[in-house]
Amino acid sequence: QACTYPCQCPSQPLQCPAGTSHVLDACGCCKVCARQLGELCSLQKPCDHHKGLYCDFSKMHRGSGICLAHEGATCDLLGKIYHNGESFQPTCKLQCICMDGAIGCIPLCSDDLRLPSPECPSPRRVKFRNKCCEEWTCEEGSEENRFETAMAVFREDPARKPELNNLQENCLVQTTEWSACSKSCGMGISARVTNDNPQCRLEKETRLCMVRPCDFPMEKTKKGKKCVRTPKPRQSLRFEFSGCTSTRSYRPKFCGSCTDGRCCTPYVTSTVEVEFRCPEGDFFQRKMMFIKMCSCHYDCPRDNDIFLATYHRRMIGDHV
């Protein structure tokens, strides 16, 4: 179909199956759900190029083709072979894809954290029959226990008890320090728990963090010094996250090294909203850690993996 400008796209947000990319149509106008391996495709219905798929018109007619994958290694999962570009569900909780010998998966069940709040003092996950994912339920405790839970996050007023519907006014803001970055180099995640929201509900929030780039050159240590100063890159740089790039450049501080066997990690940090632009024109914002000061210590992370790390150091940060 011929393209018409200005672009006219559906007003409703695009709803695509889990693991399916949003891609631009041939006119560069509207986002559509990308076609997957083996599905029919056209200029208006492009294949999922993020998964290495392309539209092959050689075996079809009337402007339609079929999505095929570029040559790549197959994947072996528990003895079952999957082709490059093939999507599959090993369990009801995971949607996976084979990409040139590597398997990537996204969860189909929410992994949100729910902490006690005035309206839900005892949240817990429950497995329901005929449902794959567990769901949160709020156990009703006694009125006395409910009030005690509410008092934990509300200011004490001797004149009257806090009303549960007047949440924002009576909320006593509580925020934990940010956790250590999940990676010792490259882009990672840091988390904290706070009730600084209109519902006065304890919630987990995250921010991006980078202690140092993985290819960052360490400065030579001067004789007699055990700590290398917090280095700054000579040129400004742009952050990259999930294939997208920050819209402006920065000169952030990074943590250097310690010469006596200790680890050098962030100690004082701040949080800034960073805007990212993706190759297809999308914009989004993420909170990101910026280092102000680093410190040396023996409580070191084990490997560069959030799941293997045994340390629990916290960073002194802002409450932005």
Side-chain angles (χ1 to χ4, degrees), residues 300-313:
C300 301
R302 183 164 60 90
D303 297 325
N304 191 22
D305 192 329
I306 185 174
F307 300 109
L308 297 179
T310 58
Y311 72 138
H312 298 283
R313 284 187 68 84

Side-chain angles (χ1 to χ4, degrees), residues 68-211:
L68 299 178
H70 294 287
E71 289 296 325
T74 59
C75 301
D76 183 351
L77 180 63
L78 301 176
K80 189 169 183 179
I81 303 299
Y82 298 95
H83 297 288
N84 180 40
E86 183 178 356
S87 297
F88 58 96
Q89 272 189 256
T91 72
C92 64
K93 295 183 177 182
L94 290 174
Q95 177 73 42
C96 302
I97 183 172
C98 172
M99 295 188 68
D100 197 17
I103 296 176
C105 301
I106 62 169
L108 298 178
C109 297
S110 172
D111 60 349
D112 62 322
L113 173 70
R114 181 152 191 179
L115 298 170
S117 62
E119 70 274 13
C120 187
S122 302
R124 66 186 185 95
R125 284 186 181 273
V126 176
K127 181 73 172 70
F128 290 97
R129 184 182 294 180
N130 300 327
K131 285 191 176 182
C132 176
C133 302
E134 295 177 333
E135 296 182 7
W136 285 107
T137 61
C138 296
E139 291 186 348
E140 287 293 337
S142 65
E143 194 66 29
E144 182 180 349
N145 291 337
R146 181 181 175 90
F147 178 71
E148 288 177 358
T149 304
M151 284 299 295
V153 292
F154 283 82
R155 294 185 177 90
E156 292 187 15
D157 186 351
R160 60 183 178 85
K161 294 181 179 180
E163 296 291 336
L164 295 182
N165 58 354
N166 196 8
L167 301 177
Q168 189 68 34
E169 182 180 343
N170 295 322
C171 188
L172 179 61
V173 175
Q174 299 180 70
T175 305
T176 66
E177 300 294 350
W178 289 101
S179 68
C181 193
S182 62
K183 291 193 174 183
S184 58
C185 75
M187 194 70 81
I189 298 291
S190 174
R192 71 178 180 181
V193 174
T194 181
N195 66 337
D196 190 7
N197 52 64
Q199 294 76 34
C200 194
R201 176 185 296 166
L202 287 168
E203 293 179 339
K204 181 181 179 182
E205 65 177 2
T206 60
R207 64 176 179 177
L208 301 176
C209 53
M210 185 184 290
V211 178

